[in-house]
């Protein structure tokens, strides 16, 4: 198989520490391989001054089926279907939904092409650098903002109806993505104010990563999504998304450091802040910062222990409102890093539009098993 392609695509958007999942091989020849894998995850939150039964809830459980094929001449292909589900039937059903559904080809010299619902270049090449908290995080990087919770409509998370191309030249990796039109906005979108619908014409996205040495990477990504909003009464309004994200990552030895900073126009919703109200329910200008510092403790106990800290800070540029927290956490990874036990303490620093506090600190527990 084309090792570079398969390692990059199969691991896309997941933590490096959890890449030894015990995938079940369903079929294998010298040219083809079909594997089944996934994870079961449960979490519980204890929020200060909030009464709750603290019952465990689903924390991103999923299953996936992957087919790989090796062609002659250095080409390889992959097809991936991945579904999220609730193994605990919290609402009386499995609540399954499509996370990924794509196919693609790759060559070490000519690059990688993917078609379908896939991870964006925004997230895959830059945003994932700061998505290292096991339970919290990714709230300020713009990947999973927008009209759908997975960033599929606006194109920054797991865009639907997309085609992407990525290749590396020396120290540089470059990528472009195009998303076709869509007007059936996901039902999960809660319209606000006068907005009754959205119509995406297209999304264009680009990303670049410069890696002068193995432990240092600098990245930039930009998204433009041409979107019209439909107002009550039939009039249309411009809801175009323009967003940019800068990132830096340094990984010396057992340490991991990463920082991202983003600027978002028409990407963040009012509901991400307390007290913000716009006529269309969409924030005109927002800014986000995410940072993580992590240390891997190895050889002291069975498995690996991670000690980490960081911040998420999403700001409304037109008021004092912000969605922000600082975090300290520890995780213990066992059985080839397939079993993860994590404890996180979140110190909330969120503000209303008038700069008053509305935050509640919380303690979060996570148990996850990769199979």
């Amino acid at each position: 198989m084309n090792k570079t392609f398969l390692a990059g695509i199969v691991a896309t958007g997941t933590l490096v520490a959890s890449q030894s999942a015990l995938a079940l091989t369903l079929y294998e020849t010298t040219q083809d391989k079909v594997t089944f894998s996934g994870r079961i995850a449960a979490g519980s939150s204890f929020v200060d001054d909030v009464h709750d039964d603290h019952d465990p809830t689903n924390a991103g459980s999923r299953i996936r089926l992957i087919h790989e094929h090796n062609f002659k001449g250095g080409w390889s292909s992959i097809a991936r279907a991945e579904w999220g589900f609730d193994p605990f039937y919290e609402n009386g059903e499995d609540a399954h939904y499509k996370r990924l559904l794509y196919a693609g080809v790759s060559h070490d010299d000519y690059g990688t092409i993917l078609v379908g619902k896939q991870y964006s270049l925004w997230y895959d090449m830059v945003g994932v650098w700061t998505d290292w908290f096991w339970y919290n995080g990714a709230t300020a990087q713009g990947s999973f903002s927008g009209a759908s919770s997975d960033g599929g409509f606006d194109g920054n998370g797991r865009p639907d109806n997309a085609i992407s191309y990525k290749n590396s030249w020396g120290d540089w990796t470059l990528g472009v993505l195009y998303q076709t039109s869509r007007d059936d906005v996901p039902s999960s979108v809660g319209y606000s104010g006068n907005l009754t619908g959205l119509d995406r014409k297209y999304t264009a996205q680009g990303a670049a990563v410069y890696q002068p040495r193995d432990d240092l990477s600098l990245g930039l990504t930009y998204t433009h999504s041409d979107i019209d909003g439909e107002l009550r009464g039939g009039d249309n309004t411009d809801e175009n998304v323009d967003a940019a994200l800068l990132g830096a990552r340094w990984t010396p030895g057992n340490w991991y450091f990463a920082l991202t900073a983003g600027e978002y126009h028409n990407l963040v919703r009012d509901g991400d802040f307390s007290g913000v109200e716009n006529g269309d329910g969409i924030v005109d200008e927002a800014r986000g910062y995410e940072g993580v510092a992590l240390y891997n403790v190895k050889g002291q106990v069975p498995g690996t222990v991670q000690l980490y800290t960081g911040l998420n800070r999403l700001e409304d540029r037109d008021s004092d409102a912000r969605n922000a927290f600082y975090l300290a956490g520890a995780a213990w990874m066992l059985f080839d890093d397939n079993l993860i036990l994590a404890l996180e303490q979140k110190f909330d620093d969120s503000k209303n539009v008038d700069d008053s506090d509305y935050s509640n600190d919380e303690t979060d527990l996570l148990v996850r098993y990769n199979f």
Side-chain angles (χ1 to χ4, degrees):
M1 284 291 174
N2 182 323
K3 303 279 188 198
T4 302
F5 169 59
L6 294 180
I9 298 304
V10 173
T12 295
T14 54
L15 299 181
V16 174
S18 64
Q19 291 316 300
S20 55
L22 302 172
L24 175 64
T25 300
L26 302 179
Y27 176 78
E28 186 172 16
T29 67
T30 56
Q31 290 184 308
D32 291 275
K33 186 176 182 179
V34 179
T35 56
F36 174 79
S37 62
R39 74 191 196 199
I40 302 294
S44 183
S45 297
F46 298 78
V47 183
D48 289 0
D49 302 320
V50 175
H51 176 71
D52 191 359
D53 56 16
H54 311 303
D55 284 348
T57 60
N58 181 40
S61 300
R62 64 200 61 170
I63 56 173
R64 66 181 68 89
L65 190 67
I66 298 174
H67 174 258
E68 307 162 20
H69 181 79
N70 186 30
F71 296 97
K72 295 181 179 179
W75 288 95
S76 61
S77 69
I78 189 171
R80 174 173 176 170
E82 182 170 305
W83 295 82
F85 71 104
D86 181 2
F88 310 110
Y89 282 70
E90 297 168 39
N91 297 314
E93 58 182 22
D94 65 4
H96 65 275
Y97 63 96
K98 180 173 66 179
R99 286 177 49 85
L100 298 166
L101 186 62
Y102 64 77
V105 295
S106 183
H107 191 282
D108 284 339
D109 295 328
Y110 304 120
T112 299
I113 298 175
L114 297 179
V115 179
K117 186 171 178 60
Q118 57 190 276
Y119 278 106
S120 66
L121 300 173
W122 174 289
Y123 181 76
D124 179 42
M125 295 179 65
V126 183
V128 71
W129 294 356
T130 53
D131 189 13
W132 270 73
F133 303 149
W134 287 100
Y135 192 79
N136 295 282
T139 59
Q141 63 176 236
S143 295
F144 305 107
S145 302
S148 58
S149 60
D150 70 348
F153 184 80
D154 310 80
N156 279 7
R158 297 189 296 272
D160 53 61
N161 303 335
I163 179 171
S164 67
Y165 173 74
K166 182 169 66 173
N167 203 359
S168 296
W169 295 270
D171 296 335
W172 288 90
T173 299
L174 304 177
V176 291
L177 179 145
Y178 182 81
Q179 197 176 19
T180 61
S181 62
R182 180 179 178 181
D183 58 7
D184 58 327
V185 180
S187 60
S188 60
V189 177
Y191 296 121
S192 301
N194 294 321
L195 188 64
T196 62
L198 295 172
D199 180 7
R200 182 186 71 216
K201 306 301 182 184
Y202 69 89
T203 297
Q205 185 177 102
V209 172
Y210 174 60
Q211 189 173 5
R213 60 179 198 245
D214 290 343
D215 65 350
L216 180 64
S217 301
L218 304 173
L220 167 67
T221 182
Y222 182 85
T223 295
H224 172 77
S225 195
D226 191 326
I227 299 174
D228 288 337
E230 182 177 332
L231 300 175
R232 300 183 192 282
D235 293 332
N236 290 334
T237 179
D238 179 3
E239 301 292 355
N240 291 351
V241 170
D242 287 286
L245 187 71
L246 291 169
R249 178 176 59 179
W250 182 39
T251 58
N254 289 334
W255 287 95
Y256 182 96
F257 301 96
L259 179 67
T260 57
E263 191 84 18
Y264 319 123
H265 173 67
N266 282 344
L267 181 65
V268 177
R269 271 28 187 189
D270 285 1
D272 288 327
F273 300 110
S274 176
V276 172
E277 294 182 3
N278 293 308
D280 54 7
I282 302 175
V283 175
D284 292 335
E285 298 291 342
R287 183 173 292 174
Y289 307 93
E290 286 193 357
V292 59
L294 179 149
Y295 183 75
N296 288 298
V297 181
K298 300 181 178 181
Q300 304 301 310
V301 297
T304 301
V305 173
Q306 287 185 345
L307 304 176
Y308 52 96
T309 186
L311 63 92
N312 271 247
R313 185 183 178 98
L314 182 64
E315 304 172 344
D316 176 22
R317 300 289 291 154
D318 295 325
S319 74
D320 290 325
R322 68 172 182 253
N323 183 343
F325 66 83
Y326 305 94
L327 183 139
W332 190 11
M333 293 168 288
L334 298 163
F335 303 111
D336 294 327
D337 296 342
N338 290 309
L339 175 64
I340 299 100
L341 310 173
L343 170 65
E344 296 183 357
Q345 177 63 43
K346 187 166 74 170
F347 305 95
D348 207 319
D349 190 35
S350 300
K351 299 284 187 179
N352 286 295
V353 292
D354 60 359
D355 199 34
S356 61
D357 291 331
Y358 77 92
S359 58
N360 295 93
D361 297 344
E362 68 179 69
T363 303
D364 303 299
L365 304 174
L366 173 76
V367 178
R368 187 170 111 182
Y369 182 70
N370 300 319
F371 60 87

